[in-house]
Amino acid sequence: MKMNINAKDYITEQQFWDIIERSNKGKNLVDILMPLTKQEIIGYVYWWNHFNIISYRQDLWAVAYVVLGGCSDDGFDYFRFWLVARGKDVYYAALENADSLCNHFLNLPSDEYPEAEVLDYAYIEVFNERFGKDSFYSDEECDFDYTRPEIVFKWEEDDEESIREVVPKTFDK
């Protein structure tokens, strides 16, 4: 990730997680972001991208693949947006052990699907509404590098046993 020199300092990591917590799993994220200052929104974007890049991992992709019945590149992005919106505790537990999400899936309300594409547009919507049409993409402080790390897969989609080895609890449930 190309780091904007000040963006990570505009809000702290804890302030980012507080925003996520107050957003009710992203359901009212736009309302929570709307009153923030320009720098606070840019700080939020920094941390949003930071946590989405960190979670770009093969074990979490295996979980998404099993739970979603397959998972494209875009689908994995949307899954990770959903994961960040679950909050700090669920997110860090998943990084420590991807299978920790298994019980979380069992308790999802019937109207909730573990993908949240719309959350990646919330900050752009707020930024453009507050600071002018298309201003997010023209503001140099918002020029983040979204380069993902290279993933070395320990599983293959056509080999169920290889998936089970990576996330056995999720696969078996």
Side-chain angles (χ1 to χ4, degrees):
M1 174 192 267
K2 174 181 159 184
M3 188 164 98
N4 182 310
I5 292 173
N6 296 318
K8 70 176 180 57
D9 298 323
Y10 290 165
I11 67 170
T12 65
E13 177 182 348
Q14 187 55 52
Q15 287 171 310
F16 170 83
W17 287 117
D18 291 345
I19 289 168
I20 294 296
E21 184 67 30
R22 290 190 341 256
S23 78
N24 189 21
K25 299 179 180 161
K27 292 176 185 154
N28 61 346
L29 183 58
V30 168
D31 295 335
I32 299 298
L33 294 176
M34 196 59 78
L36 299 182
T37 67
K38 182 178 181 180
Q39 287 184 325
E40 289 170 330
I41 295 169
I42 292 170
Y44 169 86
V45 174
Y46 168 82
W47 289 109
W48 174 258
N49 289 309
H50 172 78
F51 290 117
N52 278 291
I53 288 172
I54 288 174
S55 60
Y56 189 76
R57 300 172 13 166
Q58 66 90 27
D59 56 342
L60 291 172
W61 202 328
V63 167
Y65 186 87
V66 170
V67 170
L68 300 172
C71 189
S72 67
D73 292 352
D74 288 345
F76 186 47
D77 287 343
Y78 310 152
F79 173 81
R80 292 189 340 273
F81 303 157
W82 172 88
L83 175 60
V84 172
R86 299 306 90 197
K88 182 179 181 178
D89 293 341
V90 171
Y91 177 85
Y92 277 115
L95 289 184
E96 189 170 316
N97 177 2
D99 256 345
S100 71
L101 291 170
C102 186
N103 290 333
H104 194 71
F105 293 123
L106 295 174
N107 297 320
L108 281 182
S110 61
D111 64 340
E112 187 174 336
Y113 192 69
E115 289 187 337
E117 177 183 8
V118 68
L119 297 181
D120 199 42
Y121 302 116
Y123 59 85
I124 297 169
E125 175 185 333
V126 168
F127 200 91
N128 290 341
E129 185 172 324
R130 294 274 318 281
F131 308 109
K133 186 177 183 213
D134 298 325
S135 61
F136 181 80
Y137 292 108
S138 62
D139 192 307
E140 68 180 37
E141 281 196 288
C142 299
D143 185 20
F144 293 97
D145 179 4
Y146 302 102
T147 304
R148 300 172 181 156
E150 184 72 29
I151 291 183
V152 176
F153 287 92
K154 296 179 181 176
W155 58 277
E156 295 179 31
E157 58 187 52
D158 295 332
D159 181 356
E160 290 185 356
E161 192 53 40
S162 70
I163 299 170
R164 179 181 275 124
E165 287 176 22
V166 174
V167 287
K169 187 176 175 184
T170 302
F171 188 90
D172 288 344
K173 287 198 180 206

PDB file of all heavy atoms in Angstrom, residues 15-39:
ATOM      1  N   GLN A  15      -9.786   4.554  16.734  1.00  0.00           N
ATOM      2  CA  GLN A  15     -10.869   5.400  16.229  1.00  0.00           C
ATOM      3  C   GLN A  15     -11.537   4.753  15.011  1.00  0.00           C
ATOM      4  O   GLN A  15     -12.758   4.823  14.850  1.00  0.00           O
ATOM      5  CB  GLN A  15     -10.349   6.791  15.869  1.00  0.00           C
ATOM      6  CG  GLN A  15     -10.019   7.638  17.084  1.00  0.00           C
ATOM      7  CD  GLN A  15      -9.307   8.920  16.701  1.00  0.00           C
ATOM      8  OE1 GLN A  15      -8.332   8.914  15.953  1.00  0.00           O
ATOM      9  NE2 GLN A  15      -9.795  10.038  17.225  1.00  0.00           N
ATOM     10  N   PHE A  16     -10.723   4.114  14.150  1.00  0.00           N
ATOM     11  CA  PHE A  16     -11.297   3.395  13.011  1.00  0.00           C
ATOM     12  C   PHE A  16     -12.252   2.313  13.503  1.00  0.00           C
ATOM     13  O   PHE A  16     -13.395   2.212  13.046  1.00  0.00           O
ATOM     14  CB  PHE A  16     -10.190   2.763  12.150  1.00  0.00           C
ATOM     15  CG  PHE A  16     -10.731   1.821  11.114  1.00  0.00           C
ATOM     16  CD1 PHE A  16     -11.213   2.301   9.913  1.00  0.00           C
ATOM     17  CD2 PHE A  16     -10.800   0.452  11.363  1.00  0.00           C
ATOM     18  CE1 PHE A  16     -11.751   1.438   8.961  1.00  0.00           C
ATOM     19  CE2 PHE A  16     -11.328  -0.419  10.420  1.00  0.00           C
ATOM     20  CZ  PHE A  16     -11.800   0.075   9.214  1.00  0.00           C
ATOM     21  N   TRP A  17     -11.801   1.491  14.457  1.00  0.00           N
ATOM     22  CA  TRP A  17     -12.645   0.398  14.948  1.00  0.00           C
ATOM     23  C   TRP A  17     -13.876   0.945  15.673  1.00  0.00           C
ATOM     24  O   TRP A  17     -14.949   0.330  15.630  1.00  0.00           O
ATOM     25  CB  TRP A  17     -11.849  -0.558  15.828  1.00  0.00           C
ATOM     26  CG  TRP A  17     -10.902  -1.399  15.033  1.00  0.00           C
ATOM     27  CD1 TRP A  17      -9.540  -1.409  15.112  1.00  0.00           C
ATOM     28  CD2 TRP A  17     -11.236  -2.351  14.006  1.00  0.00           C
ATOM     29  NE1 TRP A  17      -9.012  -2.300  14.208  1.00  0.00           N
ATOM     30  CE2 TRP A  17     -10.026  -2.893  13.519  1.00  0.00           C
ATOM     31  CE3 TRP A  17     -12.429  -2.789  13.446  1.00  0.00           C
ATOM     32  CZ2 TRP A  17      -9.995  -3.847  12.502  1.00  0.00           C
ATOM     33  CZ3 TRP A  17     -12.388  -3.749  12.435  1.00  0.00           C
ATOM     34  CH2 TRP A  17     -11.178  -4.271  11.976  1.00  0.00           C
ATOM     35  N   ASP A  18     -13.755   2.089  16.321  1.00  0.00           N
ATOM     36  CA  ASP A  18     -14.931   2.720  16.943  1.00  0.00           C
ATOM     37  C   ASP A  18     -15.962   3.104  15.884  1.00  0.00           C
ATOM     38  O   ASP A  18     -17.168   2.938  16.092  1.00  0.00           O
ATOM     39  CB  ASP A  18     -14.524   3.951  17.754  1.00  0.00           C
ATOM     40  CG  ASP A  18     -13.734   3.601  19.012  1.00  0.00           C
ATOM     41  OD1 ASP A  18     -13.722   2.416  19.426  1.00  0.00           O
ATOM     42  OD2 ASP A  18     -13.102   4.521  19.570  1.00  0.00           O
ATOM     43  N   ILE A  19     -15.491   3.636  14.754  1.00  0.00           N
ATOM     44  CA  ILE A  19     -16.403   3.972  13.652  1.00  0.00           C
ATOM     45  C   ILE A  19     -17.105   2.712  13.161  1.00  0.00           C
ATOM     46  O   ILE A  19     -18.333   2.709  12.968  1.00  0.00           O
ATOM     47  CB  ILE A  19     -15.627   4.655  12.493  1.00  0.00           C
ATOM     48  CG1 ILE A  19     -15.198   6.065  12.906  1.00  0.00           C
ATOM     49  CG2 ILE A  19     -16.471   4.686  11.208  1.00  0.00           C
ATOM     50  CD1 ILE A  19     -14.190   6.700  11.961  1.00  0.00           C
ATOM     51  N   ILE A  20     -16.350   1.655  12.974  1.00  0.00           N
ATOM     52  CA  ILE A  20     -16.935   0.380  12.520  1.00  0.00           C
ATOM     53  C   ILE A  20     -17.978  -0.091  13.535  1.00  0.00           C
ATOM     54  O   ILE A  20     -19.088  -0.491  13.160  1.00  0.00           O
ATOM     55  CB  ILE A  20     -15.839  -0.691  12.297  1.00  0.00           C
ATOM     56  CG1 ILE A  20     -14.919  -0.302  11.133  1.00  0.00           C
ATOM     57  CG2 ILE A  20     -16.452  -2.074  12.107  1.00  0.00           C
ATOM     58  CD1 ILE A  20     -15.592  -0.220   9.779  1.00  0.00           C
ATOM     59  N   GLU A  21     -17.639  -0.040  14.800  1.00  0.00           N
ATOM     60  CA  GLU A  21     -18.567  -0.482  15.845  1.00  0.00           C
ATOM     61  C   GLU A  21     -19.859   0.343  15.824  1.00  0.00           C
ATOM     62  O   GLU A  21     -20.964  -0.207  15.880  1.00  0.00           O
ATOM     63  CB  GLU A  21     -17.902  -0.368  17.216  1.00  0.00           C
ATOM     64  CG  GLU A  21     -18.730  -0.896  18.353  1.00  0.00           C
ATOM     65  CD  GLU A  21     -18.947  -2.397  18.319  1.00  0.00           C
ATOM     66  OE1 GLU A  21     -18.074  -3.138  17.812  1.00  0.00           O
ATOM     67  OE2 GLU A  21     -20.010  -2.835  18.785  1.00  0.00           O
ATOM     68  N   ARG A  22     -19.747   1.639  15.716  1.00  0.00           N
ATOM     69  CA  ARG A  22     -20.921   2.517  15.707  1.00  0.00           C
ATOM     70  C   ARG A  22     -21.744   2.363  14.425  1.00  0.00           C
ATOM     71  O   ARG A  22     -22.916   2.722  14.402  1.00  0.00           O
ATOM     72  CB  ARG A  22     -20.493   3.978  15.884  1.00  0.00           C
ATOM     73  CG  ARG A  22     -19.979   4.283  17.276  1.00  0.00           C
ATOM     74  CD  ARG A  22     -19.763   5.760  17.587  1.00  0.00           C
ATOM     75  NE  ARG A  22     -19.654   6.649  16.467  1.00  0.00           N
ATOM     76  CZ  ARG A  22     -18.508   7.181  16.015  1.00  0.00           C
ATOM     77  NH1 ARG A  22     -17.370   6.903  16.594  1.00  0.00           N
ATOM     78  NH2 ARG A  22     -18.513   8.014  14.990  1.00  0.00           N
ATOM     79  N   SER A  23     -21.133   1.829  13.381  1.00  0.00           N
ATOM     80  CA  SER A  23     -21.832   1.702  12.095  1.00  0.00           C
ATOM     81  C   SER A  23     -22.822   0.541  12.048  1.00  0.00           C
ATOM     82  O   SER A  23     -23.483   0.350  11.034  1.00  0.00           O
ATOM     83  CB  SER A  23     -20.825   1.549  10.955  1.00  0.00           C
ATOM     84  OG  SER A  23     -20.317   0.227  10.895  1.00  0.00           O
ATOM     85  N   ASN A  24     -22.913  -0.222  13.132  1.00  0.00           N
ATOM     86  CA  ASN A  24     -23.833  -1.362  13.175  1.00  0.00           C
ATOM     87  C   ASN A  24     -23.558  -2.316  12.016  1.00  0.00           C
ATOM     88  O   ASN A  24     -24.418  -2.570  11.180  1.00  0.00           O
ATOM     89  CB  ASN A  24     -25.293  -0.883  13.178  1.00  0.00           C
ATOM     90  CG  ASN A  24     -26.272  -2.008  13.433  1.00  0.00           C
ATOM     91  OD1 ASN A  24     -25.912  -3.047  13.980  1.00  0.00           O
ATOM     92  ND2 ASN A  24     -27.508  -1.809  13.013  1.00  0.00           N
ATOM     93  N   LYS A  25     -22.315  -2.802  11.989  1.00  0.00           N
ATOM     94  CA  LYS A  25     -21.860  -3.747  10.955  1.00  0.00           C
ATOM     95  C   LYS A  25     -22.003  -3.168   9.550  1.00  0.00           C
ATOM     96  O   LYS A  25     -22.286  -3.871   8.598  1.00  0.00           O
ATOM     97  CB  LYS A  25     -22.583  -5.076  11.082  1.00  0.00           C
ATOM     98  CG  LYS A  25     -22.327  -5.741  12.419  1.00  0.00           C
ATOM     99  CD  LYS A  25     -23.044  -7.041  12.575  1.00  0.00           C
ATOM    100  CE  LYS A  25     -22.717  -7.601  13.953  1.00  0.00           C
ATOM    101  NZ  LYS A  25     -23.623  -8.575  14.413  1.00  0.00           N
ATOM    102  N   GLY A  26     -21.798  -1.855   9.468  1.00  0.00           N
ATOM    103  CA  GLY A  26     -21.822  -1.173   8.179  1.00  0.00           C
ATOM    104  C   GLY A  26     -23.187  -0.671   7.753  1.00  0.00           C
ATOM    105  O   GLY A  26     -23.285   0.071   6.777  1.00  0.00           O
ATOM    106  N   LYS A  27     -24.223  -1.031   8.475  1.00  0.00           N
ATOM    107  CA  LYS A  27     -25.577  -0.672   8.052  1.00  0.00           C
ATOM    108  C   LYS A  27     -25.810   0.833   8.007  1.00  0.00           C
ATOM    109  O   LYS A  27     -26.592   1.316   7.201  1.00  0.00           O
ATOM    110  CB  LYS A  27     -26.611  -1.344   8.956  1.00  0.00           C
ATOM    111  CG  LYS A  27     -26.635  -2.847   8.790  1.00  0.00           C
ATOM    112  CD  LYS A  27     -27.578  -3.505   9.750  1.00  0.00           C
ATOM    113  CE  LYS A  27     -27.453  -5.010   9.599  1.00  0.00           C
ATOM    114  NZ  LYS A  27     -27.809  -5.719  10.796  1.00  0.00           N
ATOM    115  N   ASN A  28     -25.154   1.586   8.888  1.00  0.00           N
ATOM    116  CA  ASN A  28     -25.308   3.038   8.863  1.00  0.00           C
ATOM    117  C   ASN A  28     -23.949   3.739   8.751  1.00  0.00           C
ATOM    118  O   ASN A  28     -23.740   4.809   9.325  1.00  0.00           O
ATOM    119  CB  ASN A  28     -26.107   3.534  10.076  1.00  0.00           C
ATOM    120  CG  ASN A  28     -25.438   3.207  11.387  1.00  0.00           C
ATOM    121  OD1 ASN A  28     -24.528   2.412  11.454  1.00  0.00           O
ATOM    122  ND2 ASN A  28     -25.903   3.831  12.449  1.00  0.00           N
ATOM    123  N   LEU A  29     -23.049   3.137   7.990  1.00  0.00           N
ATOM    124  CA  LEU A  29     -21.698   3.669   7.847  1.00  0.00           C
ATOM    125  C   LEU A  29     -21.701   5.071   7.243  1.00  0.00           C
ATOM    126  O   LEU A  29     -20.969   5.953   7.705  1.00  0.00           O
ATOM    127  CB  LEU A  29     -20.828   2.728   7.010  1.00  0.00           C
ATOM    128  CG  LEU A  29     -19.369   3.135   6.839  1.00  0.00           C
ATOM    129  CD1 LEU A  29     -18.668   3.289   8.198  1.00  0.00           C
ATOM    130  CD2 LEU A  29     -18.629   2.111   5.984  1.00  0.00           C
ATOM    131  N   VAL A  30     -22.516   5.309   6.239  1.00  0.00           N
ATOM    132  CA  VAL A  30     -22.572   6.634   5.616  1.00  0.00           C
ATOM    133  C   VAL A  30     -22.936   7.685   6.659  1.00  0.00           C
ATOM    134  O   VAL A  30     -22.306   8.749   6.724  1.00  0.00           O
ATOM    135  CB  VAL A  30     -23.553   6.651   4.421  1.00  0.00           C
ATOM    136  CG1 VAL A  30     -23.841   8.076   3.967  1.00  0.00           C
ATOM    137  CG2 VAL A  30     -23.006   5.823   3.265  1.00  0.00           C
ATOM    138  N   ASP A  31     -23.923   7.394   7.502  1.00  0.00           N
ATOM    139  CA  ASP A  31     -24.341   8.345   8.537  1.00  0.00           C
ATOM    140  C   ASP A  31     -23.223   8.617   9.543  1.00  0.00           C
ATOM    141  O   ASP A  31     -23.083   9.746  10.014  1.00  0.00           O
ATOM    142  CB  ASP A  31     -25.574   7.827   9.287  1.00  0.00           C
ATOM    143  CG  ASP A  31     -26.794   7.726   8.410  1.00  0.00           C
ATOM    144  OD1 ASP A  31     -26.866   8.463   7.393  1.00  0.00           O
ATOM    145  OD2 ASP A  31     -27.680   6.903   8.717  1.00  0.00           O
ATOM    146  N   ILE A  32     -22.446   7.616   9.856  1.00  0.00           N
ATOM    147  CA  ILE A  32     -21.347   7.771  10.816  1.00  0.00           C
ATOM    148  C   ILE A  32     -20.206   8.575  10.194  1.00  0.00           C
ATOM    149  O   ILE A  32     -19.578   9.398  10.862  1.00  0.00           O
ATOM    150  CB  ILE A  32     -20.833   6.393  11.292  1.00  0.00           C
ATOM    151  CG1 ILE A  32     -21.949   5.614  12.003  1.00  0.00           C
ATOM    152  CG2 ILE A  32     -19.602   6.529  12.176  1.00  0.00           C
ATOM    153  CD1 ILE A  32     -22.496   6.258  13.241  1.00  0.00           C
ATOM    154  N   LEU A  33     -19.937   8.355   8.915  1.00  0.00           N
ATOM    155  CA  LEU A  33     -18.833   9.062   8.243  1.00  0.00           C
ATOM    156  C   LEU A  33     -19.193  10.506   7.878  1.00  0.00           C
ATOM    157  O   LEU A  33     -18.302  11.363   7.799  1.00  0.00           O
ATOM    158  CB  LEU A  33     -18.422   8.316   6.974  1.00  0.00           C
ATOM    159  CG  LEU A  33     -17.796   6.939   7.143  1.00  0.00           C
ATOM    160  CD1 LEU A  33     -17.537   6.305   5.779  1.00  0.00           C
ATOM    161  CD2 LEU A  33     -16.513   7.014   7.957  1.00  0.00           C
ATOM    162  N   MET A  34     -20.449  10.785   7.646  1.00  0.00           N
ATOM    163  CA  MET A  34     -20.867  12.089   7.119  1.00  0.00           C
ATOM    164  C   MET A  34     -20.374  13.290   7.935  1.00  0.00           C
ATOM    165  O   MET A  34     -19.905  14.269   7.360  1.00  0.00           O
ATOM    166  CB  MET A  34     -22.391  12.124   6.958  1.00  0.00           C
ATOM    167  CG  MET A  34     -22.877  13.258   6.085  1.00  0.00           C
ATOM    168  SD  MET A  34     -22.228  13.257   4.394  1.00  0.00           S
ATOM    169  CE  MET A  34     -23.234  12.004   3.613  1.00  0.00           C
ATOM    170  N   PRO A  35     -20.426  13.273   9.258  1.00  0.00           N
ATOM    171  CA  PRO A  35     -19.986  14.470   9.989  1.00  0.00           C
ATOM    172  C   PRO A  35     -18.458  14.589  10.166  1.00  0.00           C
ATOM    173  O   PRO A  35     -17.981  15.602  10.678  1.00  0.00           O
ATOM    174  CB  PRO A  35     -20.674  14.330  11.352  1.00  0.00           C
ATOM    175  CG  PRO A  35     -20.924  12.884  11.521  1.00  0.00           C
ATOM    176  CD  PRO A  35     -21.115  12.329  10.130  1.00  0.00           C
ATOM    177  N   LEU A  36     -17.713  13.586   9.735  1.00  0.00           N
ATOM    178  CA  LEU A  36     -16.263  13.632   9.928  1.00  0.00           C
ATOM    179  C   LEU A  36     -15.613  14.698   9.046  1.00  0.00           C
ATOM    180  O   LEU A  36     -16.132  15.058   7.994  1.00  0.00           O
ATOM    181  CB  LEU A  36     -15.637  12.269   9.611  1.00  0.00           C
ATOM    182  CG  LEU A  36     -16.098  11.078  10.456  1.00  0.00           C
ATOM    183  CD1 LEU A  36     -15.341   9.814  10.035  1.00  0.00           C
ATOM    184  CD2 LEU A  36     -15.928  11.344  11.940  1.00  0.00           C
ATOM    185  N   THR A  37     -14.464  15.163   9.481  1.00  0.00           N
ATOM    186  CA  THR A  37     -13.699  16.117   8.680  1.00  0.00           C
ATOM    187  C   THR A  37     -13.071  15.393   7.494  1.00  0.00           C
ATOM    188  O   THR A  37     -13.006  14.154   7.463  1.00  0.00           O
ATOM    189  CB  THR A  37     -12.564  16.751   9.503  1.00  0.00           C
ATOM    190  OG1 THR A  37     -11.595  15.731   9.819  1.00  0.00           O
ATOM    191  CG2 THR A  37     -13.084  17.413  10.775  1.00  0.00           C
ATOM    192  N   LYS A  38     -12.579  16.160   6.560  1.00  0.00           N
ATOM    193  CA  LYS A  38     -11.916  15.593   5.394  1.00  0.00           C
ATOM    194  C   LYS A  38     -10.754  14.698   5.824  1.00  0.00           C
ATOM    195  O   LYS A  38     -10.610  13.574   5.348  1.00  0.00           O
ATOM    196  CB  LYS A  38     -11.420  16.713   4.479  1.00  0.00           C
ATOM    197  CG  LYS A  38     -10.749  16.248   3.214  1.00  0.00           C
ATOM    198  CD  LYS A  38     -10.345  17.454   2.374  1.00  0.00           C
ATOM    199  CE  LYS A  38      -9.700  17.036   1.084  1.00  0.00           C
ATOM    200  NZ  LYS A  38      -9.316  18.197   0.270  1.00  0.00           N
ATOM    201  N   GLN A  39      -9.939  15.187   6.736  1.00  0.00           N
ATOM    202  CA  GLN A  39      -8.790  14.393   7.185  1.00  0.00           C
ATOM    203  C   GLN A  39      -9.231  13.132   7.909  1.00  0.00           C
ATOM    204  O   GLN A  39      -8.631  12.076   7.737  1.00  0.00           O
ATOM    205  CB  GLN A  39      -7.868  15.226   8.054  1.00  0.00           C
ATOM    206  CG  GLN A  39      -7.082  16.250   7.247  1.00  0.00           C
ATOM    207  CD  GLN A  39      -6.085  17.009   8.094  1.00  0.00           C
ATOM    208  OE1 GLN A  39      -6.336  17.285   9.254  1.00  0.00           O
ATOM    209  NE2 GLN A  39      -4.957  17.338   7.490  1.00  0.00           N
TER     210      GLN A  39
END
